[in-house]
Amino acid sequence: MNEEFSTARFSAEEAARIVRESYGGVVPQGLGVAEALYDPGEIDWLPESVKAYALGLGNPVRYASLKPGEVVLDIGCGAGIDTFLAARKVGPTGRVIGLDLTPEMLARARANQALLGLTNVEFREGRMEDMPLEDASVDVAISNGVINLSTEKGQTFREIYRVLKPGGRLVFADSVVNGQLPRAVLESEAAFAG
Ligand SMILES: C[S@@+](CC[C@H](N)C(=O)[O-])C[C@H]1O[C@@H](n2cnc3c(N)ncnc32)[C@H](O)[C@@H]1O
């Protein structure tokens, strides 16, 4: 990748620190993001503590054609909104693993899981660049507003390929940069994780 067009001006360690600080301290955002990205019928069963932490950029579950019994990985699950939507689609014979780097986000996600009483969901702490998952163990990987935060995107996609079963699917929503960003933006921690 051409470094001039990359957001990866931080080392992997610096990026992890910035992400943990930024998303660890994030406060509820109101319902605006959830209402913009999801139809009312998709999220009316979710508590406000899930919807107010929707921080994504799209609605990957809507396009993932999830089927009962499938194993789904939600990369950078945050407080769990897409994890829970996927869990409902795959049902009790399926399973959803929410992966996130930030312990505080995982604590929110696990509290939300307890509130919803979902038993087909599991949250794991880890980096998308080095996932704590077995090879060929996932039918569908989803992600929402996360891969842009990777300083090693090639490695992230290799990891996704590794954990997907043959014929597995990846559905993600994210932002892309079409042009060169000013150095001040590339070097800004707030712009990186904001
Ligand atoms: C913009 S939020 C999106 C959260 C969630 N997908 C949603 O739609 O609400 C980005 C999430 O990615 C996580 N994250 C950032 N970098 C990560 C990495 N390298 N590995 C795993 N998770 C990461 C953050 O902790 C945060 O929870």
Side-chain angles (χ1 to χ4, degrees):
M1 188 190 302
N2 182 341
E3 285 302 311
E4 290 304 306
F5 291 83
S6 169
T7 51
R9 285 296 168 99
F10 303 103
S11 69
E13 293 72 24
E14 285 172 331
R17 173 189 58 76
I18 296 165
V19 163
R20 284 200 180 102
E21 285 176 7
S22 175
Y23 290 102
V26 80
V27 295
Q29 305 287 300
L31 300 183
V33 173
E35 288 173 355
L37 300 181
Y38 304 92
D39 288 339
E42 292 175 309
I43 57 170
D44 57 5
W45 60 287
L46 293 173
E48 195 162 325
S49 55
V50 174
K51 292 186 273 199
Y53 276 103
L55 301 172
L57 298 165
N59 186 341
V61 171
R62 185 182 292 164
Y63 302 102
S65 305
L66 298 179
K67 298 175 198 59
E70 286 189 314
V71 178
V72 178
L73 167 66
D74 183 7
I75 302 164
C77 59
I81 188 161
D82 295 316
T83 313
F84 302 133
L85 295 179
R88 201 177 222 203
K89 297 265 184 197
V90 300
T93 58
R95 200 158 54 91
V96 187
I97 302 157
L99 174 76
D100 206 283
L101 178 70
T102 304
E104 292 88 343
M105 271 302 190
L106 290 165
R108 293 175 190 120
R110 290 187 178 116
N112 284 328
Q113 179 188 2
L115 213 56
L116 287 162
L118 288 170
T119 54
N120 60 344
V121 168
E122 174 199 343
F123 291 102
R124 293 189 194 172
E125 185 174 338
R127 300 173 62 235
M128 62 182 138
E129 298 86 353
D130 182 19
M131 298 189 202
L133 275 98
E134 298 285 309
D135 295 357
S137 57
V138 167
D139 294 298
V140 186
I142 59 170
S143 188
N144 198 353
V146 178
I147 295 173
N148 72 89
L149 293 165
S150 178
T151 55
E152 304 156 274
K153 292 183 180 60
Q155 174 60 19
T156 293
F157 284 109
R158 277 190 288 278
E159 276 293 87
I160 294 169
Y161 184 76
R162 179 184 67 78
V163 302
L164 280 176
K165 296 176 187 174
R169 318 190 293 282
L170 166 64
V171 182
F172 71 101
D174 224 312
S175 54
V176 294
V177 175
N178 183 17
Q180 188 168 352
L181 292 171
R183 176 179 287 268
V185 172
L186 287 172
E187 293 178 352
S188 158
E189 293 189 8
F192 174 68

